């Protein structure tokens, strides 16, 4: 079974440029998460989808970040414009449940963003 | 609010040494508890989990017991190997409110095992 796929694996951009990250979850997983991981820190949730609905986006900085999961499968996270402080690893995860506390989340390898 | 506190690293051990990585949590409800591992250059992988008090999670020789009375979920392994070198994250998932199911992570503990 294929795991969570993310692309690109690495991205280097100039500040104020836009950037997008793509995630394809494990087949059949209806819950999808985007996390931000700063260097030396644990991941922090940005947004959670159940199917195509964003059920928790309270931690997403909506002035510059946006996300979509139009058909309830793959998802895109966008930053426009990027700032220096956005340099981090962006992780995608998926789970087969409905976001209950006992669900196991499966993580992709992440996209490492560097903003110059 | 909910939070997870892990012992700070890095932790350096010799092969076959005993490992303990401390993890304590604060939660408003009855969380599930997890240990994830991140090997160099790879994504986070679930190592083990426990969903209620006194449950013991185990995998690959690692164990952790959900202690509600001490709000702890310490990770242990009796004999570490060089291949266990990685960053270990403790995490919780609470059962109440809009954040149910969201993972809250500790800062991670880097383990290096020397031959």
């Amino acid at each position: 079974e294929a795991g969570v796929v993310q692309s690109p694996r690495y991205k280097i951009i100039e500040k104020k440029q836009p950037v997008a990250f793509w995630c394809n979850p494990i087949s059949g997983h209806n819950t999808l998460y985007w996390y931000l991981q700063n260097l030396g820190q644990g991941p922090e949730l940005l947004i959670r989808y159940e199917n195509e609905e964003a059920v928790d986006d309270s931690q997403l900085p909506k002035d510059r970040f946006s996300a979509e999961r139009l058909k309830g499968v793959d998802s895109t996270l966008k930053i426009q414009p990027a700032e220096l402080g956005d340099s981090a690893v962006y992780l995608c995860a998926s789970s087969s449940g409905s976001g209950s506390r006992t669900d196991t989340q499966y993580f992709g390898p992440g996209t490492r963003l560097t903003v110059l | 609010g909910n939070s997870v506190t892990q012992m700070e690293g890095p932790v350096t051990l010799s092969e076959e040494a005993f490992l303990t990585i401390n993890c304590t949590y604060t939660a408003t409800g009855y969380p599930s508890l997890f240990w994830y591992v991140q090997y160099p250059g790879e994504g986070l992988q679930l190592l083990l989990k426990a969903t209620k008090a006194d449950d013991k999670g185990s995998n690959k020789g690692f164990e952790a017991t959900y202690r509600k009375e001490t709000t702890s979920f310490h990770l242990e392994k009796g004999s570490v190997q060089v291949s266990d070198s990685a960053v270990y994250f403790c995490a919780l998932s609470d059962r109440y409110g809009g954040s149910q199911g969201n993972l809250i992570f500790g800062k991670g503990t880097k383990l290096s095992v020397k031959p």
Side-chain angles (χ1 to χ4, degrees), chain A residues 41-106:
Chain A
Q41 303 292 316
E44 298 175 5
L45 183 75
L46 288 172
I47 189 168
R48 182 176 95 231
Y49 283 92
E50 290 180 17
N51 300 305
E52 64 275 10
E53 181 183 1
V55 296
D56 187 351
D57 63 355
S58 58
Q59 302 302 311
L60 189 72
K62 298 180 184 65
D63 57 336
R64 297 184 300 107
F65 287 65
S66 64
E68 61 183 15
R69 193 184 185 200
L70 294 176
K71 297 183 179 179
V73 181
D74 57 347
S75 175
T76 303
L77 177 69
K78 298 178 181 178
I79 308 175
Q80 183 170 12
E83 298 178 351
L84 295 177
D86 296 330
S87 295
V89 177
Y90 292 81
L91 298 168
C92 180
S94 69
S95 68
S96 58
S98 57
S100 83
R101 68 179 182 93
T102 61
D103 290 348
T104 295
Q105 294 182 28
Y106 297 86

Side-chain angles (χ1 to χ4, degrees), chain A residues 9 33 35 37 40-45 48 50 55-56 91 98-110, chain B residues 30-32 34 36 38 41-44 46 49 51-52 89 93-95 98-103 105-108:
Chain A
R9 290 293 308 276
Y33 310 77
Y35 288 87
Q37 186 177 18
Q41 303 292 316
E44 298 175 5
L45 183 75
R48 182 176 95 231
E50 290 180 17
V55 296
D56 187 351
L91 298 168
S98 57
S100 83
R101 68 179 182 93
T102 61
D103 290 348
T104 295
Q105 294 182 28
Y106 297 86
F107 284 79
Chain B
Y30 299 91
S32 293
F34 304 80
Y36 278 83
Q38 190 170 35
E42 299 184 16
L44 286 161
L46 178 69
K49 73 177 185 182
T51 59
K52 61 183 187 297
F89 292 92
S93 175
D94 210 346
R95 67 179 295 181
S99 63
Q100 179 187 168
N102 296 344
L103 285 173
F105 287 87
K107 292 185 177 182

Side-chain angles (χ1 to χ4, degrees), chain B residues 47-50 55-59 62-66 73 75:
Chain B
L47 182 59
L48 53 84
K49 73 177 185 182
D55 270 2
K56 177 186 286 187
S58 61
N59 186 26
F62 291 88
E63 293 183 340
T65 301
Y66 187 164
F73 193 54
L75 182 68

Side-chain angles (χ1 to χ4, degrees), chain B residues 15-81:
Chain B
E15 208 165 21
E16 300 184 1
F18 184 86
L19 169 71
T20 299
I21 300 178
N22 289 339
C23 172
T24 58
Y25 67 89
T26 301
T28 55
Y30 299 91
S32 293
L33 301 172
F34 304 80
W35 278 100
Y36 278 83
V37 59
Q38 190 170 35
Y39 297 102
E42 299 184 16
L44 286 161
Q45 302 175 24
L46 178 69
L47 182 59
L48 53 84
K49 73 177 185 182
T51 59
K52 61 183 187 297
D54 300 325
D55 270 2
K56 177 186 286 187
S58 61
N59 186 26
K60 300 181 180 180
F62 291 88
E63 293 183 340
T65 301
Y66 187 164
R67 302 287 189 197
K68 185 182 176 185
E69 64 275 15
T70 54
T71 61
S72 65
F73 193 54
H74 304 322
L75 182 68
E76 296 182 337
K77 186 175 185 182
S79 176
V80 293
Q81 305 300 311

